[in-house]
Amino acid sequence: MSDVETGTVTTKVPARLDRLPWSRWHWMIVIGLGTVWILDGLEVTIVGNLSAQLAKPGSGLEITQAQVAGVAAALYVAGACTGALFFGWLTDKFGRKKLFIITLVVYLLATLMTAFSFSAWWFFLFRFLTGFGIGGEYAAINSAIDELIPSRHRGRIDIIINGSYWLGAAGGALLTVPLLNDLPVNIGWRVAFGLGVVLGLAILLVRRNVPESPRWLFIHGRGDEAEKIVGDIEHDIGEDKLPEPQQSMTIHTRKSIGFVRIAHTMVALYPKRTVLGLSLFIGQAFLYNAITFGYAQILSTFYGIDTHTGYYFAVIAIGNFLGPLLLGHLFDTVGRVPMISATYIGSGVLLLGTAWLFNQGVLTAVTLTACWCAVLFVASAGASSAYLTVSEIFPMETRAMAIAFFFAIGTAAGGIAGPLVFASLVESGVPGNTALAFCIGAVVMIIGGLVELFLGVKAERKGLEEIAAPLSKAETEPAT
């Protein structure tokens, strides 16, 4: 598909959005869009902690624990990668709002059907489709959030929102405890999936009030709509309190951006940023998708814990959320490069230490959980910053597709192959094999941190258009 230009417009919409003070309207954006990560955390954690229960006789499924932690996890991630690419393209073409409604509906339907699974193939199919919807959410939501949040708050808010995944993880972990212990073996896991549907419906009601991205609107020739949305926000906040926006830009409006132009942008216009995005996503995907998917399997295999895994996972989930919550503001003040590299390298080093202790046989279920809590406190802020990085360092017209591309490639590398390989390593029952899994995740994470040191972009407190000028902007200047 080729580019189709439709005219020219001069606008101050980006400057007007960036000058806005934090308001109730921004909280609506955070709640309506950001809470989807809670759903993702709930999904992954419920399945991980139910793996032993699903494998029990009488569960209603003929499935093994390794299949739940391995095949089902890999299919969920494969669906997320596919959904990210498919819906990412649609998000850049048809807008953020349409797609973040559609993707949530896909998630809700697939999760509901998972609750009615009667065989392994049905469970696998709808785990794939659930991931398909969640993957689309990543592309649509991250692009919308960064385009609506003022630049001085963007780093902190984006990192905390992505970190809210772990609130869902903690909730999912705790929910599985009574569901596993107080309900029949063939009922509890079905109720767990049903709770995800209820939460998703609540989010859908809030999300209906979130507007389309004004940045997307003016680039696609709908400048009047963009001006009205921003004008309504300014009116609610109080226009007399706002400084006069100084910067304007001239845009060649267009209906679509061709795949050739998108590929050229990533490979030729921003090659170093492309390498950076891949490194950050592959690093965090290996550490998280390849290892935490199987944490319940580790507790069951090495410590004989199969019905109270939720308590242990809730602890590391809380540590994960506290990382972005307490460190997030430093990404806007200390800066992107020092903070991203420090969190990636630091978490990798801590994980290598955990691997050594585990292999020595000196860790109990409690002390292993404590080690993981420390590792993921640091790693979580870094992993969240990967999404922030790729959503702000590429031009507006390719933002959703860029997020989708890096998410798909990085997550496929760490999240599809990882669970399949690592589930087998853990299932062997040999501590050295599980320690090897830890070491692989640690080394890849450290490599990502080193790449950030050399290729990182100083994007803190800068407008999106300053970091990467829109492709449609007159006299666009290339960057590295």
Side-chain angles (χ1 to χ4, degrees), residues 23 63 78-79 93 143-144 149 174 192 208 213 227-228 231-232 252 290 303 311 328 366 390 452 475 479:
S23 66
I63 196 169
K93 183 175 177 62
S143 53
I149 298 297
L174 293 174
R208 293 182 307 165
S213 164
E227 295 288 341
K228 183 179 186 306
D232 289 344
H252 299 294
Y303 303 107
Y311 290 130
V366 172
V390 299
E452 173 68 27
E475 300 180 359

Side-chain angles (χ1 to χ4, degrees), residues 71-372:
V71 178
L75 285 172
Y76 176 85
V77 175
C81 294
T82 307
L85 291 171
F86 177 70
F87 289 120
W89 171 65
L90 293 179
T91 297
D92 279 334
K93 183 175 177 62
F94 295 110
R96 287 34 172 153
K97 184 175 177 67
K98 288 181 180 178
L99 270 298
F100 62 59
I101 295 294
I102 292 172
T103 53
L104 183 56
V105 171
V106 170
Y107 159 81
L108 290 172
L109 292 175
T111 301
L112 180 63
M113 297 308 292
T114 303
F116 290 99
S117 294
F118 57 87
S119 67
W121 72 264
W122 181 279
F123 183 79
F124 292 151
L125 171 63
F126 284 100
R127 288 311 293 159
F128 175 87
L129 292 176
T130 301
F132 190 71
I134 287 292
E137 288 274 289
Y138 277 108
I141 300 303
N142 267 309
S143 53
I145 288 173
D146 282 356
E147 290 164 12
L148 294 170
I149 298 297
S151 57
R152 62 188 176 280
H153 300 297
R154 188 176 60 245
R156 177 186 322 188
I157 297 302
D158 197 297
I159 286 173
I160 291 176
I161 284 176
N162 279 283
S164 68
Y165 168 99
W166 294 101
L167 284 179
L174 293 174
L175 280 172
T176 59
V177 175
L179 294 178
L180 291 178
N181 291 280
D182 299 336
L183 293 176
V185 67
N186 65 330
I187 297 296
W189 64 270
R190 299 182 191 275
V191 174
F193 285 111
L195 292 174
V197 176
V198 173
L199 179 58
L201 287 172
I203 294 173
L204 184 62
L205 293 176
V206 177
R207 188 171 290 184
R208 293 182 307 165
N209 299 314
V210 177
E212 179 58 84
S213 164
R215 284 177 157 101
W216 184 90
L217 286 170
F218 72 70
I219 281 180
H220 287 77
R222 296 162 63 180
D224 290 343
E225 293 179 56
E227 295 288 341
K228 183 179 186 306
I229 289 173
V230 178
D232 289 344
I233 301 168
E234 292 171 336
H235 177 73
D236 290 341
I237 292 174
E239 295 178 89
D240 56 322
K241 303 176 183 177
L242 301 173
E244 183 66 26
Q246 300 299 319
Q247 296 177 326
S248 64
M249 63 174 59
T250 300
I251 295 292
H252 299 294
T253 60
R254 60 186 71 222
K255 291 294 184 183
S256 63
I257 300 292
F259 281 114
V260 173
R261 186 75 182 276
I262 293 172
H264 177 270
T265 300
M266 293 185 180
V267 176
L269 196 59
Y270 295 100
K272 293 181 181 178
R273 296 186 182 189
T274 298
V275 172
L276 173 65
L278 287 173
S279 300
L280 294 180
F281 262 89
I282 291 173
Q284 64 87 27
F286 260 95
L287 191 145
Y288 277 96
N289 291 310
I291 298 175
T292 57
F293 262 134
Y295 191 66
Q297 186 186 9
I298 293 172
L299 292 176
S300 175
T301 301
F302 293 99
Y303 303 107
I305 299 170
D306 58 5
T307 59
H308 291 82
T309 57
Y311 290 130
Y312 295 90
F313 204 93
V315 172
I316 64 171
I318 292 171
N320 266 289
F321 180 65
L322 288 177
L325 184 65
L326 299 179
L327 302 178
H329 71 283
L330 298 176
F331 289 78
D332 283 324
T333 54
V334 175
R336 303 286 201 264
V337 176
M339 286 304 301
I340 294 174
S341 58
T343 50
Y344 267 70
I345 295 172
S347 60
V349 171
L350 288 172
L351 183 51
L352 287 175
T354 301
W356 182 83
L357 291 172
F358 183 84
N359 192 46
Q360 296 300 308
V362 299
L363 295 178
T364 64
V366 172
T367 53
L368 176 61
T369 301
C371 288
W372 263 105

Side-chain angles (χ1 to χ4, degrees), residues 366-417:
V366 172
T367 53
L368 176 61
T369 301
C371 288
W372 263 105
C373 193
V375 171
L376 298 177
F377 174 86
V378 179
S380 184
S384 297
S385 70
Y387 294 91
L388 167 66
T389 297
V390 299
S391 68
E392 66 184 3
I393 64 175
F394 290 96
M396 159 75 208
E397 299 90 333
T398 66
R399 181 161 293 119
M401 197 61 200
I403 296 169
F405 171 78
F406 290 109
F407 172 81
I409 299 299
T411 304
I416 297 178

Side-chain angles (χ1 to χ4, degrees), residues 14-98:
R16 290 167 65 189
L17 286 170
D18 281 339
R19 70 172 177 162
L20 294 174
W22 191 261
S23 66
R24 184 176 59 181
W25 184 83
H26 293 105
W27 279 117
M28 180 188 69
I29 300 301
V30 170
I31 295 171
L33 299 183
T35 44
V36 70
W37 272 251
I38 297 177
L39 281 179
D40 191 14
L42 189 73
E43 274 293 316
V44 174
T45 310
I46 282 177
V47 175
N49 283 284
L50 291 176
S51 60
Q53 191 81 347
L54 285 166
K56 288 183 177 180
S59 71
L61 291 179
E62 292 293 330
I63 196 169
T64 67
Q65 188 173 9
Q67 285 179 314
V68 177
V71 178
L75 285 172
Y76 176 85
V77 175
C81 294
T82 307
L85 291 171
F86 177 70
F87 289 120
W89 171 65
L90 293 179
T91 297
D92 279 334
K93 183 175 177 62
F94 295 110
R96 287 34 172 153
K97 184 175 177 67
K98 288 181 180 178

